[in-house]
Amino acid sequence: MIAEVIVDIAHSDVDKIFDYVCGENVKAGMRVAVPFGRSTATGFVIRVKETSAYPAEKLRKIYRAEDDVPAINAECLSLAEKISARYRCPMALSLRLFLPAEMRKGQVSKNFREFARLSGELPAIDPRARAQLSCIAYLEEHGETALSELREKFSSAVNALIKKGALTVEKRRMMRVPYKSMEGEEEHHVLTPAQQAAVDTVRTTDRVVSLIHGVTGSGKTEIYLTLIAAALKEGKTAIFLVPEISLTPQMFSKLRARFGAEVAILHSGLSAGEKFDEWERLRLGEAKIAVGARSAVFAPIENIGCIVIDEEHDGSYSSESAPRYNTFDIAYLRAKYNRCKLVLGSATPAVETYRRAERGEFALITLPDRINARPMPKVNIVDMRREVRRGNATPFSSALREKLKACLDGGNQTILFLNRRGYAQTVMCRDCGNVVKCKSCDVALTYHSDEDCLKCHYCGAKYKPLPACPVCGGTHIHYMGTGTQRVVGELKKLFPAARILRMDVDTTSGKEGHYKILKQFADRKADILVGTQMVAKGHDFPFVTLVGILDADMSLHFPDYRSGERTFQLITQVAGRSGRAGAEGEVVLQTYDPENYILRFAADYDYRGFYRHEIGMREAMMYPPFVKVVRVMVTGEDDKETLAALRTVYEKLQKIYAAHEEDFLFFNRMHSPIKRIRDKFRYQVLMRMTENAPLREVYAAAEEKFKNVLVYVEENPSNLS
Ligand code: ADP
Ligand code: ZN
């Protein structure tokens, strides 16, 4: 037999199929070790065939198969081909998406354990062999027992019994189970009529994709779980994607409670062994539901009955390394292949998604009300300019302080959100205006009070705080802006008795870092939770009745066409944490721009209003979804080399532009907004183009290889920095 093999080397020079002679045991989708040049390489078998077009004497033999069961199933093999064609990347790169990284690198091992039980017929045992007799008695009472445990109890008697054939030993694979501690209680709700109608629409519509636009707390999760349960009942499998599983442990315990071992979780926070075992449970069909962040869309399952993308608007669904795929596109291909439904859910759908639903491409399901008709929390917009005029220099308006006090007095909980971790956001010299920046990045440093250091939030570098300005020697160093640490400090001064938790990148390291904080808060061991975006994600804390948004305009002024949309989403999501059960909730939204229409729409929970305004503006200004923003990034450590590469790529692109000028609305090369990150200079060619523009040619132009410079293409990038 002949195997068509892609070697696992991500380079365009070897991105082709090589034929090898193989045995009957080799199947498509298996990883194999093959001779490659003068060394050995790992490869993926793409196809197995009878004959090769190459002369037999030129063909080399496969050394061995690395898997007994194909690692990649037929659907995923064809998907990998489509991804390579679509994003113009070597096949090796797209195939890698389908395997846990550690498995490729050979860093994982299967975990085995031996068990002993009594054999059918017992030989006669010398009555003086006490230990052997009690071992038999033990097994008669307890049944099968781990061999190691028996050895501990009965030492050498165990081996004697094995020798006599009295015990049968069996080696069995043990799967490592992540988050054992996270078992939840099963709660099974009877669907409300609105939830039932949503389930029915998804199942009966002739559209592949349904968008559930449901306000926060409208019970979307229960809809997903019902659809997943229905798929399982039909003997099928399911994929459930969430932005960041580690941020939503509640979701995970809900799934565990309802589906038990049929759920497998795939995410980067697991240990290599856990990840591998969860992946294997899916591949072997032991688990049927793949839950995880975007990479779980590549789960090794067959016969998919339902795919769910929760919080579909979330930026984490676009990949930031090659191939730069969009999770929706992959999920859509899988849904088509498996003839199953793809469900998107959000309280704040992406403008692009909503437009497709509005135009009838997707089924649109609207849930305008919370479960049990709970009211949406009232949003109070507070003008911070007035606070400043009144001499209030703290991060809290007087309205927020009053409401905080009332909330604490009432025994309820508060969430305070701000988009900046650390203590102060910039360190500036008052004498010359110099802002202290990272040596490797073109980014201002943030002061962290608990470690008494300056940190770069892009590369993680730490610096000693400066006694004097490095430029002018001045000593009037000013710490500007407010971060989570400073907020906690100020809160402690205002409310010494309050118990406060902080949740941001600095406090959530470790596998269960988020979980620990969220659990403490859920168990009401704290009164106030202060945090960054992390506190906005789908949490359901019934005793939170006050949410404070400390700097609502922070994200409004990013140089990005999506900044309005982002702000709307963030405010709606954070506000949605308030008043989800019990007492009515409230929100205080602090801003220096109280008339801003985005904030107004968010405060009124007027998604449609926001959408109409936003889509009108996008159309007038020609931004997505009316055009595509394409960015070709050119980055390298040497500024001159990088610039030279930019020039080469730009010239190629310019030819495309010249030939299709009518399809481009914008075309220019420039510095990226952040000129340097992690010692790499960053340049870009930014384009806005219509559907007719030759995107494939743009990819081809960016395929140019330079020695020390990286070039890549981004489509509608979720981050334009
Ligand atoms: P969303 O994901 O839309 O923000 P959730 O799914 O978290 O909303 O649901 C909000 C709350 O309503 C949760 O506490 C959930 O347990 C509860 N809930 C959901 N469905 C029902 C139902 N049919 N009956 C009663 N309570 C429900
Ligand atoms: Zn840095």
Side-chain angles (χ1 to χ4, degrees):
M1 299 295 275
I2 307 292
E4 295 188 347
V5 173
I6 297 279
V7 291
D8 191 10
I9 300 170
H11 198 285
S12 49
D13 293 351
V14 296
D15 187 30
K16 50 189 156 231
I17 291 168
F18 295 92
D19 281 3
Y20 286 90
V21 176
C22 70
E24 297 285 339
N25 64 321
V26 173
K27 306 246 157 38
M30 281 186 180
R31 292 170 313 135
V32 288
V34 293
F36 194 70
R38 257 174 272 153
S39 59
T40 305
T42 308
F44 298 92
V45 178
I46 297 297
R47 245 177 303 275
V48 178
K49 56 189 181 185
E50 296 285 335
T51 53
S52 171
Y54 288 95
E57 67 275 12
K58 283 212 167 162
L59 291 179
R60 301 172 79 177
K61 260 201 200 132
I62 278 175
Y63 287 139
R64 61 176 181 278
E66 303 278 18
D67 311 307
D68 350 309
V69 186
I72 304 181
N73 66 33
E75 182 209 347
C76 294
L77 280 175
S78 80
L79 198 51
E81 278 172 354
K82 288 192 185 116
I83 292 169
S84 280
R86 169 70 175 76
Y87 300 100
R88 289 195 75 117
C89 71
M91 265 298 275
L93 267 192
S94 18
L95 286 164
R96 283 177 193 175
L97 296 169
F98 294 87
L99 300 179
E102 296 84 357
M103 179 173 166
R104 263 188 58 239
K105 297 181 200 141
Q107 292 165 344
V108 287
S109 54
K110 294 177 185 171
N111 220 355
F112 288 97
R113 205 160 163 205
E114 289 177 306
F115 291 89
R117 58 172 184 272
L118 292 174
S119 308
E121 267 175 46
L122 285 181
I125 309 272
D126 187 336
R128 280 167 304 177
R130 287 267 173 89
Q132 293 185 24
L133 286 173
S134 33
C135 179
I136 288 173
Y138 184 87
L139 283 171
E140 269 166 354
E141 189 184 339
H142 294 93
E144 189 181 73
T145 306
L147 194 58
S148 55
E149 199 184 320
L150 278 188
R151 289 215 164 101
E152 231 163 74
K153 288 197 163 77
F154 307 103
S155 58
S156 62
V158 178
N159 277 357
L161 285 170
I162 294 174
K163 230 186 241 159
K164 284 184 190 145
L167 300 189
T168 307
V169 176
E170 201 183 325
K171 198 171 171 183
R172 248 182 271 145
R173 172 104 184 253
M174 300 301 289
M175 294 295 192
R176 287 153 283 208
V177 183
Y179 299 120
K180 267 204 190 117
S181 59
M182 239 180 254
E183 301 300 326
E185 285 139 52
E186 163 138 33
E187 47 167 69
H188 214 94
H189 299 297
V190 178
L191 295 189
T192 63
Q195 286 171 321
Q196 188 59 52
V199 168
D200 295 342
T201 304
V202 171
R203 291 174 63 82
T204 55
T205 172
D206 58 355
R207 302 284 182 272
V208 175
V209 183
S210 297
L211 170 64
I212 304 180
H213 172 217
V215 297
T216 54
S218 56
K220 295 185 286 295
T221 312
E222 200 63 35
I223 299 172
Y224 308 146
L225 299 189
T226 306
L227 288 165
I228 291 170
L232 258 56
K233 212 166 163 208
E234 288 169 14
K236 298 186 175 177
T237 61
I239 297 179
F240 187 9
L241 303 175
V242 290
E244 265 179 272
I245 187 82
S246 56
L247 292 185
T248 41
Q250 277 176 329
M251 180 75 93
F252 185 58
S253 41
K254 258 187 204 168
L255 282 161
R256 266 279 173 77
R258 175 129 4 146
F259 300 108
E262 291 196 297
V263 178
I265 175 170
L266 300 171
H267 90 85
S268 55
L270 305 183
S271 73
E274 288 172 342
K275 222 190 295 178
F276 176 58
D277 284 353
E278 288 289 83
W279 184 85
E280 282 253 294
R281 292 203 306 121
L282 289 166
R283 179 175 70 144
L284 301 172
E286 286 174 23
K288 300 206 157 51
I289 309 168
V291 188
R294 64 167 182 262
S295 62
V297 78
F298 301 105
I301 50 177
E302 288 169 12
N303 198 12
I304 303 172
C306 174
I307 305 177
V308 175
I309 305 183
D310 189 20
E311 310 287 0
E312 68 83 30
H313 62 276
D314 199 274
S316 69
Y317 286 122
S318 25
S319 164
E320 289 187 344
S321 57
R324 293 179 165 71
Y325 65 87
N326 184 333
T327 305
F328 171 84
D329 296 339
I330 312 284
Y332 185 71
L333 288 172
R334 294 203 81 170
K336 292 275 273 193
Y337 184 99
N338 288 278
R339 285 178 213 195
C340 73
K341 292 300 168 66
L342 170 56
V343 180
L344 313 176
S346 176
T348 51
V351 168
E352 281 105 320
T353 312
Y354 197 80
R355 180 155 180 272
R356 292 174 81 171
E358 210 189 25
R359 288 157 57 103
E361 219 179 304
F362 305 159
L364 177 61
I365 298 161
T366 308
L367 302 172
D369 302 311
R370 282 185 157 184
I371 289 284
N372 297 331
R374 289 219 57 75
M376 298 302 290
K378 182 181 181 322
V379 180
N380 310 280
I381 296 184
V382 174
D383 184 351
M384 287 306 276
R385 293 170 306 187
R386 277 177 50 192
E387 298 289 323
V388 174
R389 258 180 260 136
R390 279 199 224 135
N392 176 2
T394 74
F396 318 107
S397 59
S398 44
L400 180 56
R401 270 204 308 259
E402 267 163 41
K403 290 187 196 295
L404 247 171
K405 182 164 187 313
C407 183
L408 288 169
D409 290 346
N412 287 314
Q413 291 178 299
T414 301
I415 291 180
L416 294 181
F417 163 80
L418 80 166
N419 220 346
R420 180 65 68 162
R421 67 192 170 97
Y423 182 83
Q425 87 190 52
T426 24
V427 183
M428 195 184 81
C429 168
R430 274 207 168 138
D431 296 329
C432 73
N434 172 48
V435 170
V436 186
K437 287 190 174 179
C438 175
K439 286 191 180 117
S440 306
C441 314
D442 177 39
V443 170
L445 296 174
T446 303
Y447 178 64
H448 285 244
S449 57
D450 50 0
E451 294 169 71
D452 190 31
C453 73
L454 302 170
K455 271 193 204 174
C456 170
H457 285 185
Y458 278 80
C459 72
K462 291 180 191 175
Y463 301 83
K464 280 212 176 86
L466 307 166
C469 172
V471 174
C472 74
T475 51
H476 298 98
I477 305 286
H478 182 50
Y479 292 92
M480 293 189 325
T482 301
T484 46
Q485 288 180 354
R486 179 161 165 226
V487 167
V488 170
E490 302 270 342
L491 273 177
K492 280 184 180 153
K493 279 187 232 158
L494 282 176
F495 305 104
R499 298 163 303 167
I500 304 165
L501 284 171
R502 174 161 67 92
M503 185 158 106
D504 54 31
V505 173
D506 302 298
T507 60
T508 50
S509 58
K511 186 168 64 170
E512 292 182 4
H514 301 98
Y515 178 66
K516 277 184 211 141
I517 294 176
L518 293 171
K519 179 100 175 73
Q520 280 182 58
F521 196 59
D523 291 345
R524 304 184 75 185
K525 292 190 178 125
D527 309 302
I528 306 174
L529 176 65
V530 177
T532 53
Q533 303 209 21
M534 293 176 189
V535 301
K537 311 268 168 171
H539 313 300
D540 193 23
F541 300 116
F543 294 98
V544 171
T545 56
L546 177 62
V547 161
I549 301 169
L550 298 184
D551 51 357
D553 350 76
M554 255 302 290
S555 61
L556 267 180
H557 307 297
F558 278 115
D560 189 328
Y561 70 90
R562 284 205 184 98
S563 61
E565 181 179 1
R566 287 269 160 69
T567 305
F568 182 85
Q569 287 165 347
L570 205 51
I571 292 174
T572 309
Q573 297 290 344
V574 195
R577 302 311 113 210
S578 184
R580 290 171 73 90
E584 205 164 306
E586 251 192 302
V587 179
V588 175
L589 192 159
Q590 301 186 160
T591 172
Y592 290 89
D593 189 9
E595 297 308 322
N596 188 289
Y597 71 90
I598 296 274
L599 305 186
R600 293 275 157 189
F601 284 130
D604 293 340
Y605 299 101
D606 184 4
Y607 178 85
R608 295 272 313 163
F610 154 77
Y611 169 78
R612 269 194 297 271
H613 187 281
E614 185 72 19
I615 202 83
M617 202 183 68
R618 300 264 184 107
E619 185 163 24
M621 314 276 284
M622 286 314 261
Y623 272 109
F626 300 96
V627 297
K628 190 167 251 177
V629 172
V630 176
R631 170 160 93 152
V632 176
M633 281 294 295
V634 182
T635 77
E637 285 195 14
D638 185 277
D639 199 18
K640 276 208 190 101
E641 270 181 79
T642 313
L643 261 174
L646 172 74
R647 217 165 292 130
T648 311
V649 171
Y650 181 72
E651 271 165 26
K652 284 189 167 187
L653 290 170
Q654 215 170 18
K655 286 199 188 108
I656 305 172
Y657 172 65
H660 303 268
E661 215 169 314
E662 70 284 0
D663 295 322
F664 285 83
L665 294 130
F666 184 86
F667 179 86
N668 214 344
R669 63 177 161 176
M670 58 189 87
H671 264 298
S672 299
I674 300 181
K675 292 179 191 141
R676 207 158 65 107
I677 295 179
R678 290 177 193 266
D679 289 318
K680 289 206 165 123
F681 291 91
R682 308 167 83 243
Y683 295 94
Q684 63 191 31
V685 182
L686 199 59
M687 295 162 260
R688 267 188 281 146
M689 53 171 81
T690 68
E691 283 301 315
N692 303 323
L695 184 59
R696 292 184 63 85
E697 286 179 37
V698 170
Y699 269 97
E703 248 171 38
E704 182 84 40
K705 291 268 179 296
F706 301 94
K707 227 163 119 207
N708 301 313
V709 180
L710 181 69
V711 183
Y712 58 87
V713 182
E714 293 174 317
E715 294 174 42
N716 291 343
S718 59
N719 178 352
L720 272 172
S721 59

